[in-house]
Amino acid sequence: MIPPPKNVKQDARAPSTTELPLDQNLGRITNSVGIPVVNEINPLTVGPHGPILLQDAYLIDKLSHFDRERIPERVVHAKGGGAHGYFEVTKDVSHLTCADFLSAVGKRTPMFARFSTVAKEMGSADTVRNPRGFALKFYTQEGNFDMVGNNTPVFFERNPSAFKDLIAVQKRDPRTHLPSANMFWDYFTLRPVSFHQLLIQFSNRGTPDGFRHMHGYSSHTYKLINHNGLVHYVKWHFRTNQGVKNLSAKHAEELAGTEPDYAIQDLFNAIERKEYPSWTLYFQVLTEKEALNYKYDVLDVTKVISQKDFPLQEVGRFVLDRNPENYFAEVEQAAFAPSHLVPGIAPSADRMLQGRLFSYTDTHLHRLGPNHAQLPINSPITPINTTIRDGPLIMGANGGRNPPYYPNSYGGPHPDPNVREYENDYNVEGIVGRYEYELCERDFEQPRALFKLLAASEQQDLISNLAEDVAMTHEYIQRRVVGVLERIDATFAKRVQEALAKS
């Protein structure tokens, strides 16, 4: 992990400006391997007007690095900001999990958080209507634990094979290279299970007022395993202690033109003012029997578990109290993966989660390389004791002279059979096949309940936001949108249809 800096002040008014002492002396400038540079500006030439010599190693060093200073942009979660902080346990949950960082009230764990828009590009505004990524890295005594969630309790799809498609329709048209409402609504009207997420996205919650004023969710159901091997199914909720605040569609659009980095700047400036944002962690906890018999499939990420049925249980809180010193090193190179699970926490059989266990780590191998976990922001505070060796950009001793294989006769690292990776009597059996989630009436119950839960003004905002976007599509797609909405609520559909007629 990145250690805190010493004796450095930063300007809370302008996050792009660093205030440093005017009288400090950072010493002579060097090239990338520490050789002192005689002249930073003028290249080595044959006379004042002659060609540059190839032996000007510093010029070559500088230009060749410049040509390579960008790494591949994230396909999802490209635009974001982050900060360092700590997590502190406030309630005893040792009966639920043997995870060390949750083992005792008062225990603190250093962490790093990254918030982002999901489907937009690095250069896009961070006030656009889109879900927000809510990724947390906990540097625990048992290795890094990553909770890679969103600011919505559900997601568009429940099958991982659809993930690429639902992101593709939120990117650019392959011919015009422009965003396309036709692509977006063509796809989602053919996948009506997505409308629970879409109603959230087109409500005022789809444009949160920065990163500090939104909740975070695991969305997926995870497993917690205690010291006795007993399992519980759990959803994680991170509730903002700053209060939920959203932007109106008009204000979000205005900010996109005038302050496209509004959310990043808001988070940075708040921390510089020592107004440290915090979130309280709650669990929704179900026994294995309760999960099996619940009225909705707890492994279906398009569904919520009612808090009336399973109330929130407080666990702890995290506080963000330190800004990055270098955005690229700490935010852009931060690599989060749902597969980074410490003992006592395990994935459920949620299909989308299962797909993400592979996809996120694979992304980091592409973007950052096979040794991305050795970058300071991704490196655990515990020693890395592994036979996984070599590859590009090794940092450290690479295991030294110790044998890179297991087993060996030289006291090499060995597995720990006491690690709680799965619950007792974990048993899965069945006939291999491609089993379909069939769309049914139950898939429209929760979107219906959400619409009815909204206040009258919020319902109107949702209808206006939907109509404005859908109006940009072909008429046959507009009819399909209304048709899906009719399955949710007839009055809702009629009001959207009327708004489309006026557009």
Side-chain angles (χ1 to χ4, degrees), residues 171 270 276 374 492:
K171 297 292 188 180
Y276 303 135
Q374 297 182 25
F492 179 23

Side-chain angles (χ1 to χ4, degrees), residues 44-218:
L44 193 63
T45 63
V46 180
H49 304 295
I52 295 172
L53 298 181
L54 183 62
Q55 73 182 57
D56 189 344
Y58 181 58
L59 176 64
I60 302 301
D61 184 29
K62 196 172 181 181
L63 289 180
S64 59
H65 188 278
F66 170 70
D67 294 340
R68 295 164 175 81
E69 68 182 24
R70 289 293 173 266
I71 60 176
E73 181 177 293
R74 290 173 170 90
V75 178
V76 289
H77 302 283
K79 177 68 173 278
H84 299 268
Y86 65 87
F87 173 80
E88 181 175 4
V89 178
T90 56
K91 300 293 182 181
D92 182 16
V93 291
S94 59
H95 60 292
L96 295 174
T97 178
C98 60
D100 179 75
F101 82 104
L102 298 174
S103 61
V105 173
K107 185 158 191 170
R108 283 194 177 186
T109 299
M111 61 167 294
F112 183 78
R114 184 178 186 273
F115 309 113
S116 57
T117 53
V118 170
K120 301 304 179 181
E121 301 147 349
M122 173 74 82
S124 66
D126 57 20
T127 60
V128 295
R129 185 171 302 283
N130 205 237
R132 301 298 190 266
F134 199 99
L136 311 175
K137 185 180 295 291
F138 300 84
Y139 302 97
T140 87
Q141 295 297 325
E142 297 179 303
N144 290 351
F145 167 59
D146 291 350
M147 172 50 67
V148 194
N150 282 335
N151 73 326
T152 57
V154 296
F155 196 59
F156 298 98
E157 288 276 3
R158 49 199 175 193
N159 280 311
S161 57
F163 189 79
K164 176 265 178 192
D165 303 299
L166 70 90
I167 294 298
V169 301
Q170 299 180 69
K171 297 292 188 180
R172 294 176 178 270
D173 183 280
R175 185 186 184 200
T176 66
H177 198 58
L178 298 172
S180 171
N182 279 316
M183 285 202 317
F184 185 93
W185 289 106
D186 179 45
Y187 175 82
F188 285 121
T189 52
L190 296 173
R191 299 291 299 168
V193 72
S194 63
F195 269 65
H196 193 183
Q197 170 80 334
L198 289 172
L199 293 200
I200 297 173
Q201 183 168 326
F202 281 85
S203 74
N204 293 332
R205 290 174 62 186
T207 49
D209 188 346
F211 299 135
R212 295 183 299 133
H213 296 285
M214 64 185 190
H215 295 327
Y217 304 88
S218 65

Side-chain angles (χ1 to χ4, degrees), residues 463 467 482 491-503:
I463 289 164
V482 173
T491 302
F492 179 23
K494 183 179 179 182
R495 291 173 66 184
V496 171
Q497 188 172 30
E498 290 170 350
L500 284 170
K502 296 177 183 178
S503 62

